[in-house]
Amino acid sequence: VELPRLGALAAFFVLSFYPIVTPNVDVGLFFLYACAAAFASSGAGYLASVALNPLKAQLYTVIYVLVALMFSGLALPLASLAGNSLFWAVSYASPARWFAELIYLQHVWSLSIAWRMPPAYYSHASRYSALATLLGLNYTPLTFVLWMDVGMLVGRGVVFRALAFWSLVGFNRDKRH
């Protein structure tokens, strides 16, 4: 029941986002990445809906989305978050971090070699070097990282669902029916 709904959610996201932005990512891969991100995000929603009453769950979800975006590595570089254990943990729990890394890494690989020269090659590396931006975001430019990021998204979804299940069993006996 849930997987077709998540697939539809990801499809609507891809159909609305992909034509506007036109990333250098194959639409099939982009859909796969969006499905993994939807799985991770919905797991956090399940945890909130089971652990909290409906009004608090909505508020928690909004706060979680804002915090996850803030610490995803886009607003603040991941290297700056490494000094604080709490911020680093929040960035690891953020589905936005892994989704953004997937899209950006895939985009950089599709660029010509001129964009991927060492940053010292350019007069303004921050403007012309995709590799400088990639390193500035603290992303790892390796092929296996793409599948590791998908695994992190799916893993987040599984962990959030397990926490929701344990919360349901342990604390919310009235919601188990």
Side-chain angles (χ1 to χ4, degrees), residues 160-174:
F160 283 135
R161 281 167 174 72
L163 290 172
F165 175 75
W166 291 328
S167 175
L168 183 65
V169 169
F171 304 112
N172 293 312
R173 297 181 186 278
D174 57 325

Side-chain angles (χ1 to χ4, degrees), residues 17 30 44-45 53 55 69 87 95 102 115-116 140 144 147 162 174 177:
F17 183 78
F30 192 81
N53 67 41
L55 291 175
L69 284 173
F87 293 163
L102 275 168
W115 288 94
R116 294 182 276 150
T140 306
F144 81 90
W147 298 111
D174 57 325
H177 301 289

Side-chain angles (χ1 to χ4, degrees), residues 2 5 41-62 64 160-161 163-165 167-168 171-172 174-176:
E2 179 191 12
R5 186 181 59 81
S41 300
S42 65
Y46 288 149
L47 176 60
S49 68
V50 168
L52 304 167
N53 67 41
L55 291 175
K56 287 182 182 178
Q58 289 178 352
L59 180 62
Y60 162 79
T61 303
V62 169
Y64 172 73
F160 283 135
R161 281 167 174 72
L163 290 172
F165 175 75
S167 175
L168 183 65
F171 304 112
N172 293 312
D174 57 325
K175 291 184 180 180
R176 289 200 304 200

